[in-house]
């Protein structure tokens, strides 16, 4: 159906239909977790590009947002993640009763968290470090940056290498809400200035910055993210590729083309894939229950050599185990039992 010549080039073979990354419409309320399709030989090719399937199986990790689970202790949280079928988590300090961006961290407590997750064999490759990077109030930005520095300093203690960001909005009350001024030159200028400050902290503590295109933020599209990568030219700036935030439910018939273009622009710098699906009404749901075709999307990344964590979110704890099962069937076997 298609060849991925490189992570940034998708070639459609002549006289064949383009790859569809959108599921056919299903009756309302019909979930896809009940029937898991096997990958077809054409989609699940043994030729995965630059990286062999065996090597990919050793590197890929399936993860979930830690905030999906409500547990009182880090030991119970780690056990819940493991029992649901996940290898790793996108951690959030709020999951252990702290602020997402804490003012300080007790290293004895961090050591205990690390022991609990190691005991459950759950990795912590990434932590959420979101704050409004272009908030109208400079004090909000400064406070967020201080919290980011605390997370960067704690990276070695918990073992994560990436801190995810919210690129920000001019909306004063909610960092995830859009504002007309987000598209202005001033918003981009302020975002770049704040990102440069975070890059200095990241260099000092040897961490990566995970930026995610979000329609409500200044980095609102795949095109804006590509512009950022071309301007910054830093290996510390990586892309979090979330299909939910790259498509528009009102034009879902074009979602396949949208995701292919986004892949073409961003795959070479993508270090994390978020697995979050979208219903026909635009609301989030577990992968397999919406119109995004994760079988083909993930295969596209695999054939391009992607080997980072795939982090599921956008659903309740009650769907965690079924979502892990659904996604496992779309990925190469790890070759061993956890």
């Amino acid at each position: 159906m298609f060849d991925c010549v490189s992570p940034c080039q998708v070639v459609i073979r002549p006289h064949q239909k383009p790859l569809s990354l959108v599921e056919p419409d299903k009756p309302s309320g019909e979930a896809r977790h009940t029937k898991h399709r096997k990958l077809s030989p054409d989609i699940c090719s043994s030729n995965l590009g630059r990286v062999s399937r065996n090597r990919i199986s050793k590197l890929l990790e399936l993860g979930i947002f830690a905030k999906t689970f409500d547990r009182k202790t880090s030991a119970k949280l780690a056990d819940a993640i493991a029992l649901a079928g996940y290898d790793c988590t996108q951690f959030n300090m709020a999951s252990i009763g702290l602020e997402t961006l804490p003012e300080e961290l007790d290293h004895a407590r961090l050591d205990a968290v690390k022991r609990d997750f190691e005991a459950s064999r759950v990795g912590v490759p990434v932590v959420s470090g979101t704050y409004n990077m272009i908030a109208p109030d400079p004090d909000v930005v400064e406070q967020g940056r201080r919290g980011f520095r605390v997370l960067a300093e704690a990276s070695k203690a918990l073992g994560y290498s990436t801190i995810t960001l919210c690129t920000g909005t001019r909306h004063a009350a909610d960092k995830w809400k859009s504002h007309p001024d987000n598209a202005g030159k001033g918003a981009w200028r302020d975002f770049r200035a704040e990102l440069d400050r975070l890059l200095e902290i990241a260099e000092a503590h040897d961490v990566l910055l995970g930026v995610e295109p979000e329609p409500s933020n200044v980095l609102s599209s795949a095109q804006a993210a590509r512009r950022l990568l071309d301007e910054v030219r830093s290996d510390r700036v990586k892309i979090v590729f979330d299909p939910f935030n790259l498509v528009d439910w009102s034009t879902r018939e074009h979602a396949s083309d949208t995701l292919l273009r986004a892949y073409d622009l961003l795959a070479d710098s993508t270090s994390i894939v978020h697995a979050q699906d979208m219903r026909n009404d635009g609301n989030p749901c577990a992968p397999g229950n919406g119109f995004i075709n994760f079988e083909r999307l993930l295969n596209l990344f695999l054939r391009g050599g992607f080997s980072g964590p795939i982090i599921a979110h956008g659903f309740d704890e009650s769907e965690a185990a079924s979502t892990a099962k659904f996604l496992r069937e779309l990925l190469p076997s790890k070759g061993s039992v956890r």
Side-chain angles (χ1 to χ4, degrees):
M1 182 174 291
F2 64 92
D3 288 324
C4 287
V5 178
S6 75
C8 285
Q9 184 179 8
V10 179
V11 178
I12 305 299
R13 295 174 184 164
H15 311 300
Q16 292 190 352
K17 294 181 179 179
L19 169 69
S20 175
L21 298 179
V22 179
E23 293 279 14
D25 286 340
K26 295 179 74 71
S28 177
E30 182 178 346
R32 293 192 177 87
H33 292 321
T34 55
K35 293 184 179 180
H36 301 302
R37 295 174 296 160
K38 298 295 184 182
L39 299 181
S40 65
D42 186 49
I43 294 296
C44 189
S45 169
S46 60
N47 176 17
L48 292 175
R50 299 173 301 169
V51 183
S52 72
R53 180 172 286 273
N54 287 338
R55 176 163 169 73
I56 287 175
S57 68
K58 294 177 182 178
L59 297 175
L60 276 176
E61 287 188 314
L62 181 61
I64 189 171
F65 270 23
K67 288 182 69 176
T68 306
F69 303 89
D70 183 12
R71 297 294 186 274
K72 302 302 181 184
T73 68
S74 56
K76 291 181 179 179
L77 174 62
D79 285 345
I81 293 169
L83 289 171
Y86 295 90
D87 307 305
C88 67
T89 185
Q90 179 165 327
F91 196 69
N92 193 309
M93 292 298 173
S95 301
I96 56 173
L98 303 174
E99 296 294 327
T100 296
L101 290 166
E103 294 184 2
E104 59 182 5
L105 285 172
D106 182 342
H107 284 274
R109 185 174 186 182
L110 290 181
D111 289 342
V113 171
K114 184 177 182 180
R115 287 195 301 270
D116 290 337
F117 275 78
E118 288 178 345
S120 296
R121 300 178 64 185
V122 174
V124 184
V126 54
V127 66
S128 296
T130 56
Y131 67 96
N132 192 344
M133 292 175 64
I134 61 166
D137 185 350
D139 290 340
V140 171
V141 180
E142 185 176 349
Q143 181 181 3
R145 191 188 319 128
R146 288 198 300 268
F148 175 89
R149 186 185 297 275
V150 171
L151 291 184
E153 292 170 349
S155 61
K156 298 299 184 291
L158 281 185
Y160 51 82
S161 60
T162 301
I163 303 175
T164 61
L165 306 177
C166 166
T167 60
T169 175
R170 292 302 198 199
H171 195 286
D174 190 339
K175 63 179 177 285
W176 303 116
K177 285 191 176 181
S178 186
H179 191 279
D181 292 345
N182 288 356
K185 292 182 179 180
W188 186 265
R189 180 192 64 239
D190 291 350
F191 162 61
R192 282 299 317 279
E194 183 64 10
L195 185 69
D196 287 345
R197 298 182 187 102
L198 297 188
L199 275 170
E200 291 181 5
I201 299 172
E203 288 281 356
H205 297 283
D206 193 22
V207 295
L208 304 176
L209 307 180
V211 297
E212 180 178 344
E214 299 255 5
S216 61
N217 285 172
V218 64
L219 203 74
S220 60
S221 65
Q223 290 76 14
R226 185 69 254 174
R227 173 190 173 186
L228 175 68
L229 294 169
D230 292 341
E231 288 183 4
V232 176
R233 297 188 178 279
S234 170
D235 289 338
R236 293 202 179 275
V237 177
K238 298 298 182 181
I239 296 297
V240 179
F241 192 104
D242 189 331
F244 178 89
N245 287 319
L246 293 168
V247 300
D248 185 346
W249 68 273
S250 65
T251 57
R252 56 187 175 277
E253 66 273 13
H254 302 301
S256 198
D257 290 339
T258 300
L259 290 176
L260 281 169
R261 286 195 297 271
Y263 174 89
D264 188 52
L265 289 169
L266 304 176
D268 63 338
S269 295
T270 295
S271 63
I272 297 170
V273 172
H274 275 179
Q276 179 181 202
D277 213 336
M278 182 182 287
R279 299 190 189 278
N280 288 343
D281 60 3
N283 287 316
C285 60
N289 289 339
F291 63 78
I292 296 170
N293 191 322
F294 277 92
E295 176 181 351
R296 291 178 175 176
L297 179 63
L298 293 180
N299 186 65
L300 189 65
F301 272 98
L302 293 176
R303 290 184 58 158
F306 177 80
S307 58
I310 297 168
I311 307 291
H313 72 108
F315 51 88
D316 294 332
E317 179 182 343
S318 62
E319 297 179 277
S322 60
T323 298
K325 181 180 179 182
F326 171 76
L327 291 171
R328 287 275 182 213
E329 293 189 1
L330 309 185
L331 300 175
S333 170
K334 294 184 75 67
S336 62
V337 179
R338 292 182 65 249

